[in-house]
Amino acid sequence: LGQSNLFFLKQCEKVFCYSDFIKNFPKKYIHKLQIIYPVLSKKSYFLKKDIKKSLDEKVILVIGGSQGAKFFQTELKDMLKKLSENFKLFIYHQANKKNFDDLEIFYQKNKIAFKLFDFDRSLENIFLKTDFCITRAGASTLAELVFFEVPSLAIPFPYSKDNHQFFNAIYYKNNNCCWMIEQKDIRQKNFYEIISNMLDDKTDLQLKKKAMRDFSSKNTWEINNKIIIETIDEN
């Protein structure tokens, strides 16, 4: 529980959460918890997920997040270069605009098809095309990736407040909805082998997709909307 939510906890009637296992949540307020499914934009619930992906290329999405994106713009380059030697790639790469020039040079030099963006209000349209995502572990991002059944490797930002990104990633990893590796461990292992093994293991990819589908099976606009309205009406 963050400082802002903790501050308002005394005054509020209910707290909407995705789980009843909340770190630092005072036990005396546990009755205020109302469990809902991860909230997405309304249009996300009505998009068709069965978009046919290209068979002759791998679409990789890189999401650096609002913090710590530098790692995603430096450490990934060698891995992506090696990956491009074995797969035909298209990379969607979220990055800070000040790093666009450097990344453009890298992708063009290595003849990797790409699109850079710093913010996209229609990120769900990219999710539908993505075969694999390398991402930080923000709660909203992970919830969206799971809902759209995008196999992903979560690399938590190691300096997040109370290490909350680590616990976000562990939550989904324990439900078999993603892979997770800590940033410090990447420098000790062959990052290319980690990613290529994930892409090559079709059985594990399908198991991840099934786990994500099962996890999100009840996350519909109608169900979440009903829970929220009924809770508001009660209070």
Side-chain angles (χ1 to χ4, degrees):
L1 194 69
Q3 291 298 314
S4 296
N5 287 328
L6 188 61
F7 177 80
F8 288 110
L9 190 55
K10 294 178 183 179
Q11 286 75 37
C12 71
E13 295 292 333
K14 288 288 182 180
V15 182
F16 291 107
C17 292
Y18 304 157
S19 166
D20 56 6
F21 181 67
I22 309 296
K23 288 177 66 65
N24 305 322
F25 199 101
K27 290 184 179 180
K28 64 180 179 180
Y29 295 126
I30 202 74
H31 64 281
K32 294 187 176 187
L33 275 180
Q34 174 60 59
I35 307 303
I36 57 173
Y37 298 97
V39 176
L40 310 169
S41 64
K42 186 174 181 179
K43 63 180 178 180
S44 293
Y45 289 101
F46 300 100
L47 288 173
K48 291 184 179 180
K49 299 182 187 178
D50 56 347
I51 300 296
K52 187 175 181 180
K53 296 183 173 68
S54 172
L55 297 177
D56 62 347
E57 70 176 2
K58 293 289 184 184
V59 177
I60 307 292
L61 171 61
V62 177
I63 303 178
S66 59
Q67 301 184 82
K70 183 179 179 181
F71 171 82
F72 280 73
Q73 289 150 205
T74 56
E75 300 296 327
L76 295 188
K77 287 182 179 179
D78 184 56
M79 182 276 294
L80 290 173
K81 181 178 182 298
K82 290 181 180 178
L83 205 63
S84 71
E85 295 168 0
N86 293 281
F87 298 95
K88 181 181 178 182
L89 298 180
F90 188 98
I91 310 292
Y92 287 101
H93 194 144
Q94 182 201 42
N96 191 305
K97 280 187 175 180
K98 67 181 181 182
N99 295 303
F100 274 21
D101 289 345
D102 180 57
L103 287 168
E104 284 179 355
I105 291 171
F106 164 75
Y107 285 122
Q108 290 170 356
K109 178 181 178 181
N110 291 286
K111 297 181 172 58
I112 301 173
F114 70 98
K115 179 181 178 181
L116 302 177
F117 64 99
D118 64 336
F119 179 76
D120 194 323
R121 291 186 181 277
S122 301
L123 196 55
E124 59 272 5
N125 292 323
I126 295 177
F127 291 150
L128 293 172
K129 304 172 188 175
T130 299
D131 293 298
F132 192 83
C133 179
I134 303 167
T135 181
R136 286 304 191 190
S140 296
T141 297
L142 292 180
E144 290 175 328
L145 288 168
V146 169
F147 182 82
F148 284 102
E149 300 170 22
V150 180
S152 62
L153 171 64
I155 307 173
F157 180 52
Y159 310 108
S160 60
K161 178 69 174 173
D162 298 322
N163 204 19
H164 71 268
Q165 286 205 2
F166 173 83
F167 294 101
N168 290 343
I170 282 290
Y171 175 73
Y172 286 105
K173 178 179 182 292
N174 288 345
N175 282 282
N176 200 31
C177 290
C178 73
W179 292 271
M180 189 201 82
I181 187 169
E182 293 188 70
Q183 184 170 305
K184 62 182 175 61
D185 293 332
I186 289 175
R187 295 187 174 95
Q188 301 169 10
K189 299 179 181 179
N190 188 325
F191 198 20
Y192 164 72
E193 287 186 1
I194 293 171
I195 299 297
S196 60
N197 287 340
M198 290 175 182
L199 291 173
D200 284 335
D201 193 338
K202 301 295 190 296
T203 300
D204 200 15
L205 283 169
Q206 290 306 313
L207 287 173
K208 290 285 189 296
K209 289 184 178 181
K210 182 180 185 306
M212 289 187 279
R213 189 177 309 118
D214 292 343
F215 187 91
S216 300
S217 62
K218 294 183 180 179
N219 188 4
T220 67
W221 169 260
E222 291 79 13
I223 290 176
N224 251 0
N225 197 41
K226 184 173 183 289
I227 294 172
I228 292 169
I229 290 175
E230 286 180 351
T231 303
I232 292 172
D233 287 344
E234 285 176 3
N235 295 278

